[in-house]
């Protein structure tokens, strides 16, 4: 990758990753509002907003962060299999994205229930709590991925030790 393209790819990756993190924080605020607010209209608005943020911000940012991370790792000296921290970031991002895609079915279900003016708290069961738990779990995964990018722990994999390549000073 040329230096200009590498900087562009890194900027895209950081932008999508930060966007994902920020959107999850907003999503968590809405999930907590839906869980705790006594105002039925506010609860409905929160769940409808969660579906929009989920499908139009969080899912695209997660997919773009995953793909741009692959481009970064495979298109630079860092490689995907040379450093444990990069491999861990990839696995966590992949699993997080897959869990998110499965979770969005529940978000859409909750939004449909919220859109029905006759839905009651009894009808939704533990779904509001699950939405909060998933948001907190997603946020913790994203914070861990961010920490891996900053601290770059664990050194090289056996494959990375055999091959010349990235040094710790080359950036993520």
């Amino acid at each position: 990758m040329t230096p200009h393209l590498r900087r562009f790819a890194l900027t895209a990756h950081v932008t999508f990753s930060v966007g994902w993190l920020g959107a999850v924080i907003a999503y968590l605020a809405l999930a907590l509002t839906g869980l705790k607010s006594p105002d039925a209209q506010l609860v409905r608005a929160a769940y409808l907003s969660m579906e929009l943020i989920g499908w139009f911000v969080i899912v695209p940012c997660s997919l773009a962060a995953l793909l741009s991370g692959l481009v970064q790792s495979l298109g630079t000296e860092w490689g995907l299999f040379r450093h444990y921290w990069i491999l861990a970031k990839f696995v966590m991002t992949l699993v997080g994205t897959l869990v998110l895609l499965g979770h969005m079915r529940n978000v859409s279900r909750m939004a449909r229930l919220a859109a029905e003016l006759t839905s009651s708290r009894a009808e939704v069961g533990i779904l509001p709590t699950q939405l909060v738990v998933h948001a907190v779990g997603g946020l913790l995964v994203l914070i861990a991925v961010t920490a891996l990018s900053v601290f770059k722990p664990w050194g090289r994999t056996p494959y990375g030790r055999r091959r010349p390549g990235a040094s710790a000073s080359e950036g993520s």
Side-chain angles (χ1 to χ4, degrees):
M1 221 188 281
T2 66
H4 178 71
L5 186 56
R6 187 174 60 242
R7 283 191 303 272
F8 176 79
L10 178 60
T11 301
H13 179 63
V14 170
T15 301
F16 294 130
S17 299
V18 169
W20 186 7
L21 179 63
V24 168
I25 292 169
Y27 178 95
L28 176 58
L30 291 169
L32 288 168
T33 299
L35 180 65
K36 292 297 182 182
S37 178
D39 183 342
Q41 285 184 319
L42 184 59
V43 169
R44 283 183 168 78
Y47 290 130
L48 293 171
S49 298
M50 287 171 63
E51 183 180 36
L52 290 173
I53 288 173
W55 284 117
F56 295 107
V57 182
I58 298 175
V59 168
C61 281
S62 71
L63 294 170
L66 180 64
L67 292 175
S68 62
L70 277 174
V71 167
Q72 273 296 109
S73 64
L74 296 175
T76 66
E77 291 294 317
W78 285 97
L80 182 58
F81 301 106
R82 291 183 182 175
H83 299 271
Y84 285 111
W85 68 272
I86 293 173
L87 198 52
K89 272 184 63 172
F90 173 70
V91 169
M92 291 171 77
T93 303
L94 179 62
V95 170
T97 299
L98 293 173
V99 169
L100 169 65
L101 292 171
H103 170 72
M104 286 307 299
R105 288 188 305 254
N106 285 338
V107 176
S108 293
R109 179 172 168 249
M110 192 66 198
R112 279 192 305 277
L113 288 170
E116 297 171 5
L117 296 177
T118 59
S119 295
S120 69
R121 291 231 184 234
E123 289 178 80
V124 298
I126 64 166
L127 197 50
T129 303
Q130 288 176 342
L131 297 179
V132 171
V133 169
H134 273 262
V136 169
L139 183 58
L140 292 174
V141 167
L142 293 174
I143 290 169
V145 167
T146 302
L148 289 173
S149 294
V150 172
F151 295 106
K152 299 172 178 53
W154 308 316
R156 290 181 180 225
T157 64
Y159 172 77
R161 286 191 294 271
R162 286 193 309 269
R163 298 190 40 100
S167 66
S169 64
E170 285 187 311
S172 60

